[in-house]
Amino acid sequence: MSMLEVSKLKVSYGGINAVKGIDLRVDAGEMVALIGANGAGKTTTLKAVSGLLQHGGHVRYNGEDVSRRPAYQLVELGIAMVPEGRGVFGRLTVDENLRMGAYVINDRGLIRGEVDRIYHLFPRLKERRDQTAGTLSGGEQQMLAIGRALMSQPRLLLLDEPSMGLAPLMVEKIFEVVRQISENGVTILLVEQNARLALAMSGRSYVMESGTVTLEGESASLLDNPQVRQAYLGE
Amino acid sequence: MDILLQQILNGLVLGSVYALVALGYTMVYGILGLINFAHGEVVMIGAMIALAVMTLLTGTMVGVPPVVIVSLAIAAAIAVCMALAYAIERVAYRPLRNAPRLAPLITAIGMSILLQNVAMVIWGRQYKTFPQLFSTQPHTIAGATITDLQIVIIVVSAALMVGLLALVNFTRLGRAMRATSENKTIAGLMGVNVDKIISATFVIGAALGAVAGVLVAANYSIAHYSMGFMLGLKAFTAAVLGGIGNLGGAVLGGLLLGLIESIGAGYIGDVTGGFLGSHYQDVFAFLVLILVLVFRPTGIMGERVAERA
Ligand SMILES: Nc1ncnc2c1ncn2[C@@H]1O[C@H](COP(=O)(O)OP(=O)(O)OP(=O)(O)O)[C@@H](O)[C@H]1O
Ligand SMILES: [Mg+2]
């Protein structure tokens, strides 16, 4: 049984069909990438999985159909999302943002320990713990968004374009942390436009094009796929 | 000079009540972008419930100390107002959460009229005498006088405001309220049940409003089904003056408005050579509202919104 099993997922905005019945699965412990061009439907897929969008088809999490559950209930089940554009609370401090991430955790000691762990992972955030998140740089906000998602102790982490708008050095740093998170046993579904990076990081990948999955397989073999090379790796 | 000090004291008393009510407007606005015009009526119902409970208990429980009766009356007012505000949000506003902005605004005005009429049916049209809760024996400070009741109004209001600010700034619920007011979708991704937070916001604002209703009725010794209208409008003005959506702004705006009204009323007779008397007091609030909306729609402490108002 897969940890996440998406079947015949359909999402439309008004009359526009953004996702047209896709299937995908993520097994426990895997890092799976979802790549594709602008407007392919990647974000829409993640939003549907995380309970932010109503959809057709089914989303199963550890065997349970969670299709009709709102986002806030999925957090308690162990699904966390780092949204596209980071979505930090700009008027809350860094510390408060992290504590919001632990909203579903009741154990105060655990929360304190996790905050320390995130600050250890991202020392920059620690320096800025009492600053409002709106004053952080884009890279710092991305660190905060990831740290905040980790605060809920997720078993499945949905990452939407963590590299977006970041300088190469910051991208490297962020992906180093993503790799660490994965090695710690967190299952990851990674949406990326940076196909080369995503394919290098992940075990398996799906390629989306205008609302459908057009290719899927081992990331290593997709890296060698001429179609992929031409369309997504710019060769 | 005695007049000035006296008017400042009166202004602080009045302003404390405005501030308490203004907090209810500003909290709801902060989280929903909605001006809850029914809030003034919730305040009125707080006063009416307290009055009804006091009348009932004084009649039936002879020999019970007045403090107990007053406490029970205030507790009942708070409980009823909280339940009422919860129901209003649930029934009137929640179904319109994603509707165009005009719809909930019109609903709010309708709710305000509905509640006034219901109160009129239950309690009648006549002005009701609100019992004296404290001795009206005045204390004299530097030539100005202040009664026990006025001291209580200032102290209770201040305590409630400090409590609210602490709740919003330092508790898990308060953090969730601020996060929700900033971005409901992302708050949901953190595991926040946004509907519950919105309910909590309404309910907390109503509790403050209930106390304000009792205080203001006690201050004027009168309760009336329409008392929430003018009070609500003034508190709304105070919230706009301070910067709607901003809690500190509501407190500041309330106190300022109270002072402006009171000092204005104290001197308007002299300034106009007796042409306008102190009963023109209400003019000041609306003058302030118009001036703020024209010259600084974000209010004193507001840096955002405005275009949404
Ligand atoms: N709120 C919305 N209302 C209407 N259409 C939308 C909305 N959000 C997305 N769409 C449309 O749905 C399609 C898929 O969008 P989506 O954001 O899922 O793409 P994406 O793969 O994440 O793209 P990107 O790489 O640019 O983030 C696009 O055609 C987009 O215009
Ligand atoms: Mg996207």
Side-chain angles (χ1 to χ4, degrees):
Chain A
M1 182 180 70
S2 301
M3 178 175 257
L4 178 71
E5 218 179 314
V6 172
S7 52
K8 305 203 167 47
L9 185 78
K10 285 196 188 76
V11 187
S12 59
Y13 298 104
I16 305 161
N17 297 319
V19 174
K20 304 168 184 165
I22 67 166
D23 296 327
L24 62 83
R25 68 180 168 81
V26 183
D27 293 335
E30 266 193 310
M31 176 162 8
V32 170
L34 181 57
I35 62 175
N38 286 115
K42 308 179 296 294
T43 296
T44 304
T45 302
L46 276 201
K47 282 185 173 173
V49 168
S50 65
L52 291 179
L53 289 176
Q54 295 202 329
H55 56 82
H58 293 279
V59 176
R60 286 189 190 79
Y61 174 68
N62 290 328
E64 183 192 346
D65 193 330
V66 295
S67 301
R68 299 201 179 276
R69 290 207 188 225
Y72 78 88
Q73 291 181 3
L74 297 183
V75 184
E76 283 178 47
L77 295 180
I79 302 179
M81 172 147 109
V82 176
E84 188 175 52
R86 296 136 203 163
V88 298
F89 298 110
R91 288 198 292 270
L92 270 54
T93 65
V94 167
D95 212 68
E96 287 176 328
N97 268 276
L98 290 181
R99 280 165 204 282
M100 277 312 296
Y103 189 76
V104 296
I105 310 284
N106 292 316
D107 180 345
R108 280 162 177 251
L110 177 62
I111 294 175
R112 230 172 292 127
E114 284 301 288
V115 169
D116 286 344
R117 193 168 71 91
I118 302 300
Y119 284 148
H120 187 73
L121 201 59
F122 299 114
R124 275 249 231 150
L125 293 182
K126 185 172 190 175
E127 290 165 28
R128 290 160 174 72
R129 59 191 301 167
D130 294 322
Q131 232 166 285
T132 53
T135 64
L136 299 182
S137 75
E140 289 160 355
Q141 289 190 5
Q142 190 61 262
M143 294 177 193
L144 181 56
I146 293 174
R148 186 180 64 176
L150 292 177
M151 288 294 299
S152 67
Q153 310 282 293
R155 279 179 290 157
L156 174 63
L157 183 62
L158 309 171
L159 289 167
D160 197 348
E161 296 206 37
S163 76
M164 189 167 72
L166 302 185
L169 231 88
M170 187 58 84
V171 173
E172 234 171 78
K173 162 83 187 151
I174 294 281
F175 275 90
E176 179 48 42
V177 171
V178 170
R179 193 190 306 275
Q180 249 171 279
I181 295 167
S182 169
E183 278 163 7
N184 286 340
V186 178
T187 307
I188 296 177
L189 177 56
L190 168 70
V191 161
E192 257 300 332
Q193 282 223 31
N194 186 333
R196 190 182 302 279
L197 195 56
L199 291 172
M201 294 270 301
S202 59
R204 286 189 308 116
S205 295
Y206 294 84
V207 180
M208 263 187 106
E209 230 171 276
S210 23
T212 56
V213 168
T214 50
L215 275 173
E216 61 178 281
E218 301 285 322
S219 300
S221 63
L222 285 176
L223 267 173
D224 293 330
N225 182 313
Q227 243 177 298
V228 173
R229 294 181 81 95
Q230 201 217 348
Y232 299 104
L233 303 178
E235 289 174 15
Chain B
M1 267 299 105
D2 293 356
I3 293 202
L4 182 60
L5 182 61
Q6 185 65 56
Q7 298 304 28
I8 288 176
L9 276 180
N10 293 349
L12 286 179
V13 173
L14 201 57
S16 302
V17 175
Y18 290 162
L20 274 189
V21 182
L23 283 168
Y25 281 99
T26 229
M27 283 168 70
V28 166
Y29 187 88
I31 214 150
L32 279 186
L34 165 75
I35 294 162
N36 175 20
F37 278 115
H39 186 55
E41 275 57 51
V42 171
V43 173
M44 171 272 293
I45 284 176
M48 288 301 197
I49 294 288
L51 177 58
V53 170
M54 277 189 279
T55 311
L56 182 76
L57 293 186
T58 319
T60 56
M61 298 170 68
V62 186
V64 175
V67 184
V68 175
I69 291 182
V70 170
S71 308
L72 285 174
I74 294 177
I78 292 174
V80 170
C81 287
M82 288 169 95
L84 178 64
Y86 177 84
I88 291 173
E89 190 276 324
R90 204 57 220 257
V91 173
Y93 300 144
R94 193 175 298 182
L96 299 173
R97 191 83 55 78
N98 300 311
R101 299 185 54 79
L102 201 53
L105 193 66
I106 292 170
T107 305
I109 294 170
M111 186 50 76
S112 157
I113 295 170
L114 174 72
L115 289 175
Q116 267 191 52
N117 281 282
V118 168
M120 189 184 76
V121 169
I122 297 176
W123 289 293
R125 301 175 142 277
Q126 67 283 21
Y127 285 86
K128 300 180 124 335
T129 311
F130 202 88
Q132 263 168 30
L133 303 183
F134 299 92
S135 93
T136 42
Q137 183 69 35
H139 309 276
T140 309
I141 320 168
T145 59
I146 187 164
T147 64
D148 282 350
L149 174 63
Q150 290 179 311
I151 293 172
V152 167
I153 291 177
I154 292 178
V155 171
V156 168
S157 305
L160 288 176
M161 287 184 254
V162 169
L164 178 74
L165 290 178
L167 172 92
V168 169
N169 286 308
F170 304 118
T171 67
R172 176 173 176 268
L173 172 63
R175 202 155 51 227
M177 287 167 72
R178 284 181 289 137
T180 302
S181 96
E182 198 169 327
N183 191 328
K184 290 182 195 52
T185 307
I186 306 286
L189 282 179
M190 303 294 113
V192 175
N193 182 345
V194 167
D195 285 339
K196 272 197 186 161
I197 297 297
I198 290 171
S199 291
T201 305
F202 273 82
V203 163
I204 293 168
L208 298 180
V211 176
V214 177
L215 294 178
V216 80
N219 194 33
Y220 294 119
S221 302
I222 271 177
H224 188 237
Y225 77 91
S226 71
M227 66 184 275
F229 178 71
M230 191 57 94
L231 180 59
L233 223 46
K234 286 184 182 174
F236 168 64
T237 302
V240 172
L241 173 62
I244 194 152
N246 183 311
L247 295 186
V251 173
L252 185 67
L255 292 177
L256 265 180
L257 187 67
L259 288 171
I260 291 169
E261 267 196 16
S262 174
I263 293 171
Y267 290 96
I268 189 170
D270 296 348
V271 172
T272 61
F275 180 64
L276 298 176
S278 61
H279 51 278
Y280 277 86
Q281 180 174 358
D282 292 344
V283 164
F284 295 103
F286 302 111
L287 206 59
V288 167
L289 181 59
I290 291 166
L291 291 178
V292 173
L293 287 178
V294 170
F295 292 107
R296 190 172 163 83
T298 53
I300 298 169
M301 297 181 57
E303 71 300 4
R304 47 186 199 119
V305 300
E307 87 280 5
R308 298 199 297 172

